[in-house]
Amino acid sequence: TLKLNRTVFSLSDLIQSFCANMQAVDRGEHEFRLFLEPDTRIYADVNRVEQIIQNLVNNSLKYGGKVIDLKAGRVQDMVRLEIIDYGEGIPKEKLPYIWTKYYRIKPYGKESGNAGVGLSIVKEIAEMHGIAYGVNSDVNQGARFWFDFPCEAL
């Protein structure tokens, strides 16, 4: 099982650093739009949170079209991480199953080429942190994945 090594860090800084690295690798094929508030300190495992971001951005790169939005901001006493794409979306009837290990949604006309473990890992990391998480999506409407971390005082 995964172990957590929690520290206090800025979610906005992590996203900014992650996207700088992704843009270098992506060579301009996708647009990464950042919507980052300054006060986004959380107490979490920085490497595991980066793994959540990595897995969801990888899915967005495969199925999400050319634009990916990454957001970090305050929602009451929480810091919300959101990763939003504008691609194929997920059929409503498949949403309950996407967090299940090895479950894959076969995209129309494409072979996915993945093992179907990414979202189950994301779920495990979120649950180990004890945070709320979810997804809003429908066919041809893209997907919005969200995670609410307790905010750490400055």
Side-chain angles (χ1 to χ4, degrees), residues 65-115:
K66 295 289 182 196
V67 176
I68 301 168
D69 291 345
L70 293 98
K71 299 182 178 186
R74 296 287 294 272
V75 178
Q76 293 157 351
D77 60 344
M78 307 300 270
V79 173
R80 175 164 286 181
L81 164 64
E82 291 181 272
I83 298 164
I84 303 163
D85 68 53
Y86 301 92
E88 298 176 15
I90 304 164
K92 289 254 186 262
E93 67 274 9
K94 303 208 181 222
L95 284 174
Y97 308 106
I98 64 168
W99 306 103
T100 306
K101 196 171 194 174
Y102 306 122
Y103 183 79
R104 295 186 345 186
I105 299 169
K106 296 261 193 226
Y108 302 106
K110 280 193 207 173
E111 185 51 49
S112 67
N114 66 30

Side-chain angles (χ1 to χ4, degrees), residues 49-61:
V49 174
E50 185 171 26
Q51 194 174 3
I52 287 174
I53 296 167
Q54 177 77 58
N55 286 356
L56 292 171
V57 166
N58 284 343
N59 282 353
S60 292
L61 292 173

Side-chain angles (χ1 to χ4, degrees), residues 20-41:
N21 292 334
M22 283 302 293
Q23 286 169 321
V25 173
D26 186 64
R27 296 188 181 96
E29 290 182 37
H30 297 86
E31 181 182 359
F32 297 91
R33 300 189 307 191
L34 305 183
F35 301 90
L36 308 175
E37 293 178 16
D39 183 16
T40 60
R41 290 164 50 92

